[in-house]
Amino acid sequence: IGLNTNGVKIGFSLRANYSRLYTETMTGLTSDLGMVYNIDNNFQVGFIIKNIGIENSDNLRTVLPIQFGAGISYIEPILLSSLLLDFIKDKNNGNIIRLGIRKSFDKLNILSGATIQNNEVMTSGGISFNYRNWEISWGILVHSRSVLGIPQYLDIAWYF
């Protein structure tokens, strides 16, 4: 749910979460609250609080990693791609820096990025497809922890 007024966008999201890693399962209900301010047609700044909510597991001790973040977005004029930079303060994982680039077409977005956390660099990529009020996204993360494999996600969102 969002509000767009005078160049300021304020949004709230609510998510039902389900995660499964081998034999362990976690479920939860979380929400995010954010704001984006348009400085001009090519430049935006934003702030967010993420992962407010609850998470349950039968066998694992779970603590939601509440995050506070700030970011900037710049639309470069040559390829009309968005250059992204985020700084995140994570309760469980310390400081996180994310860099990214997004190229948007009519209904398709292509994304690529890198995350720097605890002196480790992780790379990622993904695509999303928008149709009416629906969005389907798929992403993949490459990192140095081979025991976890290569994480992928599929996200289906309905905007109303």
Side-chain angles (χ1 to χ4, degrees):
I1 296 174
L3 174 67
N4 186 355
T5 178
N6 298 328
V8 177
K9 297 176 188 174
I10 299 171
F12 173 80
S13 70
L14 181 64
R15 284 185 311 279
N17 304 307
Y18 174 81
S19 299
R20 183 166 176 85
L21 181 62
Y22 301 111
T23 61
E24 302 298 332
T25 302
M26 292 187 302
T27 59
L29 189 63
T30 57
S31 61
D32 302 338
L33 178 64
M35 184 211 65
V36 174
Y37 175 69
N38 293 329
I39 293 175
D40 61 32
N41 289 338
N42 294 337
F43 193 63
Q44 297 177 330
V45 295
F47 304 94
I48 194 165
I49 300 173
K50 294 183 74 167
N51 293 333
I52 303 164
I54 57 171
E55 194 166 57
N56 298 307
S57 174
D58 290 335
N59 300 318
L60 298 173
R61 290 187 205 154
T62 60
V63 177
L64 281 172
I66 295 176
Q67 296 179 339
F68 300 92
I72 57 173
S73 170
Y74 174 70
I75 301 173
E76 58 82 20
I78 298 169
L79 298 174
L80 298 177
S81 298
S82 296
L83 304 176
L84 312 162
L85 173 65
D86 293 331
F87 176 78
I88 300 162
K89 179 71 175 170
D90 186 307
K91 181 180 176 185
N92 294 353
N93 300 303
N95 297 331
I96 302 168
I97 297 172
R98 291 195 175 127
L99 308 163
I101 185 168
R102 177 180 61 224
K103 176 64 179 163
S104 297
F105 299 96
D106 183 34
K107 296 180 185 293
L108 182 72
N109 296 299
I110 301 172
L111 303 102
S112 179
T115 298
I116 303 166
Q117 177 183 347
N118 299 328
N119 297 321
E120 179 183 5
V121 177
M122 297 169 270
T123 57
S124 61
I127 57 173
S128 67
F129 179 75
N130 301 301
Y131 181 71
R132 297 189 181 176
N133 293 342
W134 290 91
E135 180 179 45
I136 299 174
S137 303
W138 174 81
I140 188 168
L141 175 70
V142 179
H143 58 85
S144 62
R145 299 180 195 126
S146 61
V147 70
L148 295 177
I150 298 175
Q152 300 179 51
Y153 77 90
L154 177 66
D155 188 39
I156 300 171
W158 175 47
Y159 301 100
F160 57 95

